[in-house]
Amino acid sequence: MQENIIYGIRAVIEAINAGKKIDKIVARKALSGELFAELQKVCKQKGIRIQFADAEVIDRITTANHQGVVAMLSHISYVSIDQIDDIARSKGEQPLVLLLDGITDVRNLGAIVRSADCAGVHAVIVPEKGSAPINGESVKTSAGAMHYMPICLTQNTYYALRALKDKGYRIVGATEHGAEEYHKVDFTGPVVIVMGSEDKGISRQILKLCDQNAKIDMYGHIESLNVSVAAGIILFEAARQRKL
């Protein structure tokens, strides 16, 4: 455990500012002071959760001089947009990328990454803000798939998608208002599949970048699927086409 933690308020602040990926931070209850206030401000800016606990709990994590704060480092493999091509090329495959536009439920995030790994997706793009956190719960829900799936965190999903589009990727948005049934869409070649938020779907700005919009026809009384279920259906159609 020791090699996967950072302790001490200043050390944790510096780690965050240096770009270290933090799973969660545990702080002693009733902790105060200017330095801790600075840590809270940085965590708020970066969307990092602080969990408060009794001093005894933190002492069980480390016996070092932790000053009441311990940060757990993430085990997730993060990549940049530019690395995605190399990941696919190393497998002799055309890139298949999944972009999540505002998935806020941590269980949906984990389930989607699990399906993405099973379907052979090369990377999942997740916004740094406005998205479910990548933490122990999402890793657990993914059945460990997040340990294998390259995750690309982006500050701006529009520009990330624009960069891939400029490199020749086709952008397919999954939306119930799509013009084409998903199994009629061509998922071969370099493709980004976009899944939208649970309540609002894909944002209007992102939809404008999509080359095609795919839908899953409904035949019962309910008009929509859970986003993780919809992602699984579309991803495995893409996988099926790529194996032909």
Side-chain angles (χ1 to χ4, degrees):
M1 171 68 81
Q2 295 294 319
E3 64 183 16
N4 298 321
I5 67 171
I6 299 173
Y7 51 83
I9 302 175
R10 173 55 65 187
V12 172
I13 292 173
E14 294 300 330
I16 295 171
N17 288 334
K20 294 286 186 181
K21 300 305 178 184
I22 307 296
D23 188 346
K24 69 175 179 179
I25 294 173
V26 181
R28 189 181 71 238
K29 290 180 179 178
L31 193 62
S32 60
E34 291 185 8
L35 195 56
F36 183 63
E38 182 182 345
L39 173 62
Q40 288 179 301
K41 181 180 178 181
V42 171
C43 287
K44 185 176 181 180
Q45 292 172 342
K46 299 293 185 178
I48 300 171
R49 180 170 64 95
I50 298 179
Q51 176 181 321
F52 290 91
D54 294 328
E56 294 79 7
V57 174
I58 301 175
D59 289 338
R60 287 197 294 269
I61 298 173
T62 178
T63 57
N65 182 21
H66 50 66
Q67 300 177 304
V69 172
V70 175
M72 282 71 168
L73 296 177
S74 174
H75 294 277
I76 306 305
S77 173
Y78 292 98
V79 299
S80 67
I81 290 289
D82 294 332
Q83 290 176 293
I84 295 175
D85 281 348
D86 293 334
I87 293 170
R89 200 173 292 121
S90 68
K91 298 180 179 181
E93 299 171 350
Q94 293 282 6
L96 176 61
V97 180
L98 179 63
L99 184 143
L100 305 181
D101 183 26
I103 302 297
T104 57
D105 187 291
V106 68
R107 292 164 298 182
N108 281 337
L109 174 61
I112 290 171
V113 172
R114 181 177 183 175
S115 295
D117 177 69
C118 292
V121 170
H122 297 105
V124 176
I125 301 174
V126 181
E128 287 188 359
K129 295 183 179 180
S131 177
I134 296 174
N135 56 22
E137 187 177 353
S138 55
V139 171
K140 182 179 180 180
T141 308
S142 76
M146 282 192 176
H147 291 307
Y148 305 100
M149 175 59 62
I151 303 290
C152 177
L153 288 179
T154 179
Q155 295 182 349
N156 190 305
T157 50
Y158 178 86
Y159 288 117
L161 205 57
R162 179 79 259 177
L164 290 174
K165 191 179 178 75
D166 289 345
K167 292 175 69 173
Y169 284 70
R170 286 194 310 106
I171 315 299
V172 179
T175 169
E176 59 191 65
H177 305 298
E180 297 184 73
E181 296 178 26
Y182 74 99
H183 54 85
K184 296 181 180 178
V185 174
D186 181 7
F187 289 106
T188 60
V191 173
V192 182
I193 297 172
V194 182
M195 303 300 303
S197 68
E198 295 89 344
D199 54 347
K200 298 179 181 179
I202 300 172
S203 64
R204 187 174 302 176
Q205 186 183 39
I206 297 297
L207 275 175
K208 290 180 179 178
L209 285 179
C210 293
D211 298 297
Q212 289 178 284
N213 291 325
K215 65 178 179 179
I216 301 172
D217 282 340
M218 301 289 109
Y219 302 105
H221 300 289
I222 307 301
E223 295 182 354
S224 64
L225 291 168
N226 172 276
V227 64
S228 66
V229 175
I233 291 171
I234 291 176
L235 288 174
F236 273 91
E237 171 58 24
R240 184 193 69 80
Q241 291 185 19
R242 287 163 173 261
K243 296 299 182 183
L244 294 178

